[in-house]
Amino acid sequence: MIEILMVMGTVPGRVAVLTDALEQFRAKGVIVRVATTFDPVENTPAATELAEVHRLPTSAELGSRFVRMAKRANPARRPWLRAQRDPWVRRHAKRADVLVALDAHALHTVWHLAQRHRRADAVYGIAPALRAVEKRSADPARYRRPRLNTTGPAPVVLASATRSQTVDLAKRVFEMSTGKRAMKLGPVRWFWQGAVTAPGLPERHRGRIARRVTGNMLESGHAASAKRLALAAQGRLGPTTRGPLLDPIVDAELSQGKVSEHLMTVVRSHLKLADGFLKKRNPGKAEPHVLRAFNLMFHRIVQFDGTTSPLAEDPEKFLAPLHDSEAGRAMAAPRGRQSPAAFPPAGRPHRMLFFTGLNDNFLGPILDRYEAMPGVEVRRLNLREESILPVLSNGRTNVVQHLLAGSSKRADEVQEAWGPHLDWADTVFVDWCNLGAAMLTMIDPGTTRVVVRLHSFEAFSWWPHLTDWSRVDDLVFVSEHLRDLALAAVPRLGAPQGPRTHMINNAMELHRYVTPKVSADSRFTLGLVGLSSLAKDPRWALAVLRELRRRDERYRLKLIGDALDPKLSPAIEAYVRELDAELAELESSGAVVRTGRTDDVPGALTDVGVILSTSLRESFHCALVEGAASGAVPVVRDWPFFAGRPHSARTLFPSDWVVGTPEEAAERILALTASEEVWREAGRAASAHVLSTWDWSVTQKDFDRLLLEPPATAD
Amino acid sequence: MSNRVAPLPRSGGGQRPHAIYLAIGFPPAAKSSAYRLRETANQFVAMGWDITVITICQEAWEREYGLDHTLSEKVDPRVKVIELPLMREDLETDIRAFSEERSIDPVGWISRLRKREQKIFPERDFGGWRYELEKAVVQQHRQHPADLLISSCAPYVNLAATWKLWEEYRVPYAVDFRDGWSLDVIGGGEAFTRDSVSGRWESKVLEHALAVWCVNDPIAGFYRERYPHLADRVHVVRNGYDEDSLPDVSGRSPDPNAGLTFGYLGSVNFTPAFLESVLDGWRIARRNDPILARSRFEVRGHIGAGPIREANRHMDLLKEAAVDNVSFGGPVPKSDLAATYGSWDALVLMLVGGRFVTSGKVYEFMATGLPVLSAHDVDHDASNILAGHPLWTGAVGLDPHRLADSFSEAARMALKATDEDRATARQLARRFARPAVLAPAVRHLTELVQPTPAGVPAPAATASTGDVQP
C-alpha cells in the first residue's frame, strides 16, 4: 500500500482542492498523513476527516532553547527545525513512498526529508503527487527493488547539517557577545569598539555588527559608549552605512529633546540610499528612506520645539541635501497640466470648491462670504467624510511613492474620488498647504484654477516639498516673512511653472472684539491668548511681568487658553517643568491667573489692558490683533525666528509695537499705562489701526480680487 | 557576428525543399497552439517540402499542461520532429532536483533564475533556451540544408535561433507571430518600446522576415502601424478549427425536463474574478430559470501548471460551485473532442482580453453548430468572428446579471434550434476550417522561397495569405 506524507507550511487558501485530492488518494487506497505547522482542527477541519493530520510541535512545546535557535534561523527553515524534532514526522517519513510539499513554506522541510529518505518520491504540489502515486501503482515492483543510490541518507545531509550547526553556533556566540546583557560589561563594550574599527573587516559586516552593538548599548543604558563606538566606526564606513549606524543615536537624542549634531549625516545617508534605489529603478525601496529623512529633517524637536530652527536660520543650506538628491529632484519634477486654468464663462455662477474638514479655523468668514454671494456657487469637499478618508489614508507615504515613481494607483483613486468635483469647479481653494494640497496635485486639475493657502507650520514641514507646484495657480501667504521663508525653502515656487504668490492677511471679524474695558485698573492686566505650543513662549511673558512687578506690584498676567501638553515632546516637558516652577510662585501671589480655554475671547479680553505676543515665531498672530481690536495696548516680541530679516514682526506691525527684550517690553508698558488717559488713547489708536487694516471688511476685497477677478501677475 | 555566409549548398536543384520549423508546443504537447503548428507542418509536407520540426522534450510538457498523444496521430509521418532536452526550470516539481537554496527561498530563486534568463534573451522563463535553440537550428541546417525557417512564437526566444541561421547562413525565414510580441493583447497597448532590448530584437528580426503572420486584423494592424515599411509582409493567418473535432449535432432534441448541459473547453487562463463572474451569472440564471435549475455546467481543460496545477484559486471556485451543478473534468484528449462537444447542449465561450484577442476556440465553438454564450468583453475580436451566427447569444460583457440572461437565452436556443440553424452555423464557420486558413499562407511562402527553374525567386503572391473571405 502506498503511503504519502504531506507537509503544509501555511494554512491553505484552497481547502476544497486539498480535500478533493485527499478523497482521490483515499479512493486509490493510499494512506495519507499530513503534517502542518498550524492547528489543523481549527484551520482545515475537513482534511482531518480524510487523513491523519498532525501538528508539528510548537515552539512553546520545544522549549526556550529552541525558541532562541528558531529566532536565529532563517524563517524558511523554521518548519524544518520543528519537523526535525518530531518523532511522528521521523517515523512516517521513513515509511512514506511519496513526500509532498503542499506550499512554498513546506519545501525546505520536504527537501530535508527527501535527502534522508531517498527511496521516496519528493514532489511539490497536489497534481505531481497524484502523478507520482499513479506511476508507483503502475509498476510497484520497480519501486520495491532496493538500490544503492536510494539507501540511507544522502551525503549532502551530513554536509548540510554540519554547515547549519556551525552557522548556528557562530550565530549564538555572536548574539551572546553582542547582546544587551554583554553590553553591561565594560570590557565587552571596549572590545567591540576596537573590533568595529579594526581594519580589513568588510563594510557590510562592520556596519551590521556596529548597528547591533550600538543598539544594544543604547538599550542597556550605555548611550555614551554607543555614541563613541558609532563615531569611531564612521571613518571606516561609506556614506550609506554611516547614517543607519547613527540612526539610533540621533533618535535617542531626539527622544531626550536634543537635536543631534549628526542629524544631517543620517539624513544625507538616507537620501543617498534612496538615490541608489532610484537609480536601480526601485522607487518602492527608496520611499522608506525618503520618509525617514523627512521625519528627521522636520522633526518637531528640530523645527518646532526649540528657540530657533535650522530651517528658519538658513533654509537653503538646511534643505540643500534634499534639493541636491535624486530623490529630491524626482519629487520636485513638475508634471504640469494639460490645459491652463480657465476663468469661468459669463452667464453662469462662478463655481468654487473649498476643501474643508481638516482645520477650518481660518476659513469661516471666507466661506460665509462666498456662500452668500450672488453669482457664486460654493461646494465643500469635506475631507473627513467616510467616502474620502480611504483616499487620504497613509497619505504621505502614498504621495512620496507617487512622486518617486511618477505614477501610482493612489493617484487614480484620487482622480476617481475628486475628479468629478474638480470637473464641476472653476476654482478650488485649499486652506493649509498639507495633505489635501499634496494629494490634489497628484492629478491634473484640468481647467480648474487651484488656489492654496500656506499659513505657517507647513513651511517647517515636508508638505511644500510634496506638492506639485506646477499644478497650483495661486499660493496665498498670510504674511511677507512666511512668503520669504517658503520661497527660500522651496526654490521651485519661483520657477516659471510655479504658482503666482500673494500676501493676504487672515480673514478676521475684529469688530466683535471691540468692547469697553471693565475699569481703569485693567491697564495693569497683561493678556496672553493661546498657549498650546512651545512657540508661544509664555515664559517670556513671565519675564516681562517680573520686570514690571519689580517697579509696580499692581501688574498681573492673565493666561488664556489650553495649557501646553508636556506629553507632546521631551522639549515641551522640560519647558513645562520650568514654566510650572515659575508659575508656582507667581500664581500663589495672584500675579498670574490662568483661565484656561474659553469660547468667549472678547469677554475674556474686557479686563485685559495690554495684549502680548511673546512668540518665537508667528505667521500673523491673530490673537494679538484681536486683543488690539479690544482696546488693549499691543506689545509684540520681535519674533526671533524672523528678527532681523527683510520682513518680520517689525514690518508687519507698527514699529513702536515691537520690542526686542522683556526689559524693552516693560518700558513700553510702563510708558503706555502710566495714566488711564495715556493707556486709553494708546488702546484706541491700536484698535483703530487693526480695524482699518485687518478687519474682514477690509481684507475681503483682497480675496475678491484673488478669487473673482481674472488672474493678474504676482503681487 | 560571423563572416560565414551560406557556405553550405541549399537543397534546391530538383530535390524537395527543406524547411526548419521552430514549433515549440508541437504535438503531443497538450497546448492550444498544437493544432496550428500541426496543420502548418502538414501543409508544408503537402506542398512538397521536407520539414523538420524543432520542439522541446515531452517531459517538459508534463510539467505544464501535459501530453495528448492523440494529437500526434494526425501529424504527417513525413514530418521529422526533433525534441530538444529543454524544460522550464521554474515549473520543476521534483524536490530532489532542487538545491537547498531553492528549497529555502523558492520565490527568490525563481526571480534570480528569471534575471539570468533574461540576460541571455529578453523573455521570462524561456530566455535561457537561446543557445540550445541556436545550436539546434545550425546543426540541423548543416545536416540538411534549409531553404526556409519558420519561427512560431511564442516563445519569442525562437527569434534568436531564427536570427542566428540568417546571420550565419542567410536562410530566409518567416515569423508566425500569432498574438505578436510588442503588443499587449490583453491590455491593448504597447508591451515594450522599440528601443528596449526586446524592441530591438523584434525590429531586427522582422526587418528581414519574408512574412509575418498574425492571428487577426487588429494585431496585423498594430504591426503594420509599428513597422510601416513591412506592412505588405504582415499577413493575417487566422486560427481555425479541425473537422475531426466536430460532433454530430443533427437531429438533436434536448429534454427540458432533464435539463441541459453547458460546456466550456479550453485553458482556464483568465483571472479568478472573471471565472467568479461567470459562475455568479450561472447561479443567478439557475435561480431565475427552472430549466437552468435542472441543468449542468461542465468545465474541461487545463488549469494551472507546475506545483499549482489544478490546485489554484480557479479550482477552489469550481469546487465551491459543485453544489450548483458545476463540475471540472480535466483536459480532453484531442480524439475525444467530438464526443465531448456532442455531449453538450450549449457552449460557454470564456475569453480574456478585447479587440486584439481572437483565440482558437472561438472557431471550434462556432463550427460545432451548438449555441454559443459569449462571456467576454463586448469589444472583443471574437464578436467579429461570431457575428451572423444564428445560435449566438451576443456579447454582453461580464456583468453576472447580464450573463444570467445569456445563459437563459442559450438554453432557449438549445431547445428551439433546428437542424437548419445548426447547419447554417456550421456553414458560416466553414471558412475557418484549418486547412482553408493555412493552405494559402503556406502556398504563399512556398512561392516566395521556391526558386524558379531560372534560379530567380518567383514573384510574391499578392493574395491574402489565409484570411479567406466567405
Side-chain angles (χ1 to χ4, degrees), chain A residues 13-14 20 108 114 120 124 163, chain B residues 93 95-96 100 103 311 316 319:
Chain A
R14 304 176 286 277
D20 188 60
H108 187 61
Y124 180 21
R163 192 170 57 242
Chain B
T93 55
I95 295 173
R96 290 193 189 285
E100 184 172 12
S103 76
D316 240 9
K319 301 263 181 217

Side-chain angles (χ1 to χ4, degrees), chain B residues 95-291:
Chain B
I95 295 173
R96 290 193 189 285
F98 283 26
S99 62
E100 184 172 12
E101 183 202 354
R102 182 174 184 177
S103 76
I104 288 175
D105 179 15
V107 177
W109 189 89
I110 288 177
S111 128
R112 288 188 289 279
L113 168 76
R114 285 181 175 153
K115 272 188 192 160
R116 284 197 304 275
E117 286 172 339
Q118 290 186 68
K119 273 187 187 164
I120 299 169
F121 184 84
E123 185 183 19
R124 219 183 82 165
D125 301 326
F126 306 104
W129 295 356
R130 176 182 169 180
Y131 300 127
E132 288 297 319
L133 287 167
E134 286 178 349
K135 207 167 97 186
V137 290
V138 168
Q139 211 168 27
Q140 192 51 41
H141 178 67
R142 284 181 179 160
Q143 285 171 11
H144 186 175
D147 301 283
L148 176 69
L149 182 141
I150 312 112
S151 186
S152 187
C153 303
Y156 304 99
V157 68
N158 283 337
L159 297 180
T162 307
W163 185 250
K164 181 81 175 170
L165 206 59
W166 168 257
E167 204 180 28
E168 295 210 353
Y169 299 104
R170 284 290 184 266
V171 175
Y173 59 88
V175 179
D176 182 3
F177 236 177
R178 282 148 46 188
D179 286 341
W181 192 16
S182 54
L183 170 67
D184 172 6
V185 287
I186 308 293
E190 187 187 46
F192 49 76
T193 59
R194 285 191 68 167
D195 57 356
S196 62
V197 184
S198 312
R200 289 201 298 272
W201 262 108
E202 183 184 83
S203 52
K204 180 171 78 173
V205 178
L206 295 194
E207 193 66 38
H208 297 283
L210 287 176
V212 179
W213 296 353
C214 305
V215 295
N216 62 26
D217 290 307
I219 297 174
F222 172 86
Y223 274 100
R224 286 178 187 134
E225 203 173 299
R226 192 177 175 89
Y227 304 103
H229 62 294
L230 306 179
D232 58 344
R233 282 186 259 161
V234 177
H235 306 285
V236 175
V237 180
R238 293 188 176 276
N239 287 316
Y241 70 91
D242 298 301
E243 285 289 345
D244 58 354
S245 306
L246 304 184
D248 176 13
V249 288
S250 57
R252 291 170 75 98
S253 54
D255 175 11
N257 294 324
L260 304 173
T261 306
F262 286 72
Y264 169 80
L265 180 76
S267 303
V268 178
N269 54 6
F270 28 80
T271 63
F274 182 111
L275 179 61
E276 210 161 8
S277 293
V278 176
L279 293 175
D280 284 346
W282 169 253
R283 289 184 185 107
I284 296 166
R286 281 168 62 81
R287 272 205 306 273
N288 299 340
D289 189 326
I291 294 176

Side-chain angles (χ1 to χ4, degrees), chain A residues 13-18 20 24 74 76-77 99-101 104-105 107-128 131 135 156 160 163-164, chain B residues 59 61-66 90-107 110 303 305-320 328:
Chain A
R14 304 176 286 277
V15 178
V17 174
L18 173 69
D20 188 60
Q24 285 186 55
N74 183 325
R77 285 173 48 83
L99 298 162
V100 187
H105 297 276
L107 264 178
H108 187 61
T109 304
V110 175
W111 183 87
H112 266 289
L113 293 173
Q115 305 305 323
R116 282 160 176 76
H117 307 289
R118 293 195 286 166
R119 192 182 59 82
D121 288 315
V123 294
Y124 180 21
I126 287 175
R131 221 165 36 230
K135 270 190 180 173
V156 70
S160 171
R163 192 170 57 242
S164 59
Chain B
E59 196 187 340
W61 302 115
E62 280 176 2
R63 287 184 187 178
E64 208 175 316
Y65 284 166
D90 60 311
L91 295 181
E92 176 62 84
T93 55
D94 180 1
I95 295 173
R96 290 193 189 285
F98 283 26
S99 62
E100 184 172 12
E101 183 202 354
R102 182 174 184 177
S103 76
I104 288 175
D105 179 15
V107 177
I110 288 177
I303 297 185
I308 56 161
R309 186 170 173 185
E310 293 182 14
N312 56 10
R313 176 75 188 131
H314 302 85
M315 277 304 288
D316 240 9
L317 291 171
L318 291 169
K319 301 263 181 217
E320 282 163 14
F328 171 70

Side-chain angles (χ1 to χ4, degrees), chain A residues 399-464:
Chain A
V399 174
V400 171
Q401 276 172 358
H402 173 80
L403 293 176
L404 293 177
S407 62
S408 67
K409 198 167 157 252
R410 181 57 66 94
D412 299 340
E413 289 164 6
V414 173
Q415 178 66 50
E416 197 177 320
W418 297 359
H421 297 285
L422 288 176
D423 290 345
W424 172 84
D426 298 310
T427 304
V428 55
F429 186 92
V430 186
D431 202 17
W432 301 95
C433 173
N434 55 11
L435 180 59
M439 295 209 95
L440 175 64
T441 58
M442 286 165 85
I443 59 173
D444 187 332
T447 57
T448 306
R449 182 178 171 206
V450 177
V451 182
V452 174
R453 181 160 66 167
L454 186 150
H455 288 264
S456 170
F457 94 89
E458 307 101 295
F460 298 90
S461 77
W462 45 72
W463 292 117

